[in-house]
Amino acid sequence: MNENLLGFLEKLYDNSSEAIFFFNQEGKTLYMNEAAKSIMAADVYEQLLAGREGAICRICRGFTSEEEQRTCVACYMSDPAMEVSSFQVYFETEGRGMIPYSASIETIDEERGIRVFMLRDLTEQQRTQEELHQKLMLKRVIKAQEDERKRISRELHDSVAQEMLSSLVDLRVLKYMNLDEEAMKKLRQTEGSLMRLLDDIRHLSVELRPATLDDLGLEAAFRTHFKSIEKNYGIAVHFHPELESKRYDSEIETVVYRVCQEAVFNAVKYAGVDEIIVRLHEADGSLHLRVADDGVGFDVEDGTPIGTGLGHYGMRERADLVEGKLAIRSEPGKGTVVELAVPVEREDGR
Amino acid sequence: MEDRITFNFQREIERLRSLCGADYVALATVQPAERRFELKWTHVAGNLTDRHRRIKLQSGKGVAGLVFKTGKALFVADAEMELGKENLYQYPITVAEKLVSFGAIPLYKYNRVGGVLLIGSRKKDGLTEEHFREFRDHVGTEFGPFYSKEMVKE
């Protein structure tokens, strides 16, 4: 072996952030590097070097098997024949608490049974992975919820409402059958009740998920929604769409619709205003939504939410799904502005 | 508005308001079929804003919608306490007019609720159950084309 490689190996051993241990046939620690030393308490280090049995177990918190997150069953350390190139193990480190490591254990000297055990910190990677996983799950949950809402909404609209409508038509036929005044009066009342019921079902369907969002796009869906806000809560929503009925990816439209719905609803509930301004426009390759009121406002920094606190969280999560940016600006007494910017590909602008 | 010729709703609710010394009295009526039977506050007295004009309620929604649906009188002594601060927005007329205590009764026409009469105060306990009973006595059994069912002795 040439001089240089030895030097490099030595440097690797000394300077690597990976913890490197050398064990002999009996499982006693022969050497360990600085990185290994740094993760354990001084007394454990002493014990390990002294070759005390089970010293490593004092800081080891088990490895991940198919059955368990952390286990000692069939520990790789105890079986000298075991050759595992990669597994996950947890160590109780000095000062940093329990940390997940990617570990490998290999025999590097058959004759003397020398094995090397290496640990690579996985904290960062695991966090990234968890975040990715969570995002993915959330995306699926939101999609499942939207799909389910869409299904029920369609069912109500296409099936239940249709049936009801045909009953209503049947009922109207009765009007031409020479009924006496008393029966006619009753008939008109029943007709009224049925019509009201039909309206209720349609409202329910729109509330779940407006079919107009899929069929006609954001502008039409917003118009209907704001009209119902005005009717139900006596609050006027001034809507300024500047999109010329342009359509976007269904996922983007859904996010923009839901975020706007939430922002407007928050204003209805908490702002104490009777006017809300909503602007929708496209600029710099992004779709911009702006919901503004000049109501009571709130302290953005204050962590304690007025409502469930899920509203803002939900808006952010939804915005995240389409790489959108959400900004909430507010101050007590100075109103609230919610802005969402979602990048939209130019070439996809159907 | 054609009812105005035979019965002046506006004058009636203003009379009721001064008789009861209430902050606010309003009448919601069911709109005809072509207006999809929405409930609208058609006549108000003592209003702070004109927000009531925007409100068009579905059955079961808001104060009027609730009374319309159940056909029963509704009395709330302390809106924030009884309805919950979180849910107040679902009763837009109370928010718009800052009503704290209020009561509402159904008005019948052909055995159906055709209107809802609301009386409210902007003070806590400004309208007590006793006041509400007096109000109902003032309304009596007949109110224009409507009648107040619970007053009718079987």
Side-chain angles (χ1 to χ4, degrees):
Chain A
M1 210 181 280
N2 69 49
E3 206 65 39
N4 260 344
L5 184 57
L6 270 179
F8 287 155
L9 280 175
E10 205 170 306
K11 282 209 162 53
L12 174 74
Y13 179 79
D14 285 338
N15 301 330
S16 172
S17 62
E18 279 181 46
I20 303 171
F21 302 78
F22 291 100
F23 297 116
N24 68 7
Q25 222 155 1
E26 287 83 43
K28 298 236 165 83
T29 314
L30 300 175
Y31 300 102
M32 59 182 135
N33 67 352
E34 277 303 309
K37 186 181 169 188
S38 72
I39 63 169
M40 60 188 72
D43 60 322
V44 181
Y45 177 70
E46 295 298 328
Q47 284 181 15
L48 262 177
L49 274 191
R52 180 86 60 82
E53 186 116 17
I56 195 130
C57 294
R58 280 191 55 194
I59 55 168
C60 179
R61 290 293 172 267
F63 73 98
T64 307
S65 73
E66 279 132 6
E67 279 86 29
E68 270 180 282
Q69 180 82 29
R70 290 190 287 120
T71 183
C72 285
V73 177
C75 176
Y76 297 140
M77 205 68 73
S78 57
D79 185 356
M82 229 26 148
E83 296 269 319
V84 190
S85 60
S86 174
F87 60 96
Q88 191 173 326
V89 68
Y90 289 84
F91 273 89
E92 188 68 40
T93 59
E94 181 71 1
R96 284 177 62 206
M98 195 165 71
I99 283 182
Y101 286 99
S102 161
S104 65
I105 188 156
E106 283 168 298
T107 306
I108 51 167
D109 190 332
E110 289 277 357
E111 271 170 50
R112 284 184 287 171
I114 303 293
R115 297 197 295 164
V116 63
F117 178 52
M118 291 196 281
L119 293 174
R120 178 177 287 165
D121 192 337
L122 271 185
T123 322
E124 204 50 31
Q125 195 185 340
Q126 247 188 12
R127 204 182 48 78
T128 322
Q129 229 160 38
E130 224 161 83
E131 227 163 69
L132 192 71
H133 179 71
Q134 229 170 26
K135 241 183 184 167
L136 200 72
M137 288 309 284
L138 191 81
K139 217 169 172 159
R140 285 196 190 142
V141 167
I142 289 179
K143 180 156 187 330
Q145 188 199 31
E146 277 308 327
D147 284 351
E148 186 71 356
R149 280 173 167 239
K150 202 191 264 183
R151 192 183 66 78
I152 300 172
S153 165
R154 293 256 154 173
E155 189 80 5
L156 282 175
H157 184 268
D158 299 348
S159 165
V160 181
Q162 283 309 312
E163 290 279 323
M164 186 143 291
L165 194 64
S166 64
S167 309
L168 199 59
V169 171
D170 283 347
L171 198 73
R172 280 175 184 158
V173 172
L174 280 178
K175 280 188 187 169
Y176 304 99
M177 294 175 87
N178 290 323
L179 298 174
D180 59 50
E181 194 45 43
E182 195 67 12
M184 277 300 260
K185 207 192 245 169
K186 189 74 204 159
L187 185 65
R188 269 196 290 272
Q189 281 181 355
T190 312
E191 187 192 355
S193 304
L194 264 183
M195 280 171 71
R196 211 159 26 231
L197 195 53
L198 191 58
D199 264 353
D200 281 354
I201 293 169
R202 284 190 179 136
H203 279 119
L204 203 60
S205 164
V206 170
E207 236 167 74
L208 277 168
R209 184 185 162 90
T212 39
L213 185 58
D214 300 309
D215 302 340
L216 298 167
L218 279 172
E219 241 183 270
F222 275 147
R223 277 191 204 286
T224 319
H225 179 60
F226 296 152
K227 211 153 114 194
S228 82
I229 291 273
E230 181 163 342
K231 280 186 183 180
N232 279 322
Y233 307 111
I235 293 169
V237 182
H238 301 291
F239 184 39
H240 305 287
E242 295 155 37
L243 298 177
E244 282 123 28
S245 308
K246 211 171 149 191
R247 296 302 306 269
Y248 299 91
D249 196 51
S250 154
E251 202 183 1
I252 290 175
E253 288 187 339
T254 304
V255 167
V256 174
Y257 185 80
R258 293 295 184 206
V259 167
C260 180
Q261 204 177 21
E262 182 67 35
V264 168
F265 201 46
N266 282 341
V268 167
K269 275 161 98 172
Y270 308 115
V273 290
D274 49 15
E275 281 179 349
I276 300 164
I277 299 163
V278 176
R279 186 178 176 220
L280 202 58
H281 75 286
E282 202 186 303
D284 313 319
S286 284
L287 176 59
H288 295 265
L289 167 80
R290 188 172 192 271
V291 180
D293 69 67
D294 54 2
V296 295
F298 64 97
D299 190 355
V300 184
E301 302 297 316
D302 187 8
T304 51
I306 322 165
T308 54
L310 282 173
H312 285 182
Y313 181 77
M315 282 200 279
R316 272 190 207 292
E317 292 303 317
R318 279 190 189 267
D320 259 9
L321 293 181
V322 289
E323 265 101 52
K325 282 196 179 63
L326 186 82
I328 301 171
R329 293 196 306 271
S330 188
E331 245 180 86
K334 295 210 171 141
T336 305
V337 177
V338 176
E339 277 176 316
L340 173 72
V342 181
V344 282
E345 291 125 310
R346 287 266 166 201
E347 58 267 39
D348 195 36
R350 282 172 287 168
Chain B
M1 289 288 174
E2 43 296 12
D3 284 313
R4 193 171 273 188
I5 306 155
T6 48
F7 186 80
N8 192 327
F9 283 114
Q10 191 60 38
R11 204 173 54 208
E12 264 314 294
I13 62 166
E14 265 159 24
R15 188 182 68 89
L16 280 170
R17 185 168 95 94
S18 61
L19 258 174
C20 303
D23 289 332
Y24 187 71
V25 174
L27 170 74
T29 52
V30 179
Q31 302 299 296
E34 57 272 22
R35 306 288 294 275
R36 313 205 142 253
F37 304 104
E38 284 165 341
L39 281 154
K40 262 194 84 175
W41 297 105
T42 46
H43 299 84
V44 299
N47 53 315
L48 294 173
T49 69
D50 280 337
R51 200 162 136 186
H52 64 270
R53 289 196 188 147
R54 293 203 193 107
I55 303 170
K56 294 178 191 107
L57 297 164
Q58 299 285 305
S59 166
K61 301 273 170 71
V63 178
L66 213 62
V67 174
F68 174 83
K69 193 171 190 171
T70 59
K72 283 184 183 147
L74 174 75
F75 175 76
V76 173
D78 183 347
E80 257 184 43
M81 271 282 292
E82 285 172 50
L83 305 173
K85 204 176 175 189
E86 284 292 293
N87 302 318
L88 269 190
Y89 72 95
Q90 290 173 22
Y91 306 89
I93 196 71
T94 65
V95 179
E97 294 296 333
K98 300 186 171 26
L99 303 180
V100 179
S101 47
F102 63 88
I105 55 168
L107 295 173
Y108 285 84
K109 203 176 184 175
Y110 312 129
N111 268 322
R112 307 242 158 178
V113 182
V116 174
L117 203 52
L118 169 80
I119 180 168
S121 167
R122 299 191 177 100
K123 287 184 292 289
K124 197 181 160 216
D125 299 318
L127 186 87
T128 62
E129 237 166 310
E130 181 56 36
H131 290 140
F132 188 43
R133 205 170 308 127
E134 277 169 28
F135 166 72
R136 300 181 74 172
D137 285 342
H138 285 307
V139 174
T141 54
E142 261 178 63
F143 192 78
F146 303 109
Y147 57 92
S148 179
K149 206 180 190 179
E150 281 164 281
M151 294 294 170
V152 180
K153 294 274 188 303
E154 297 276 312

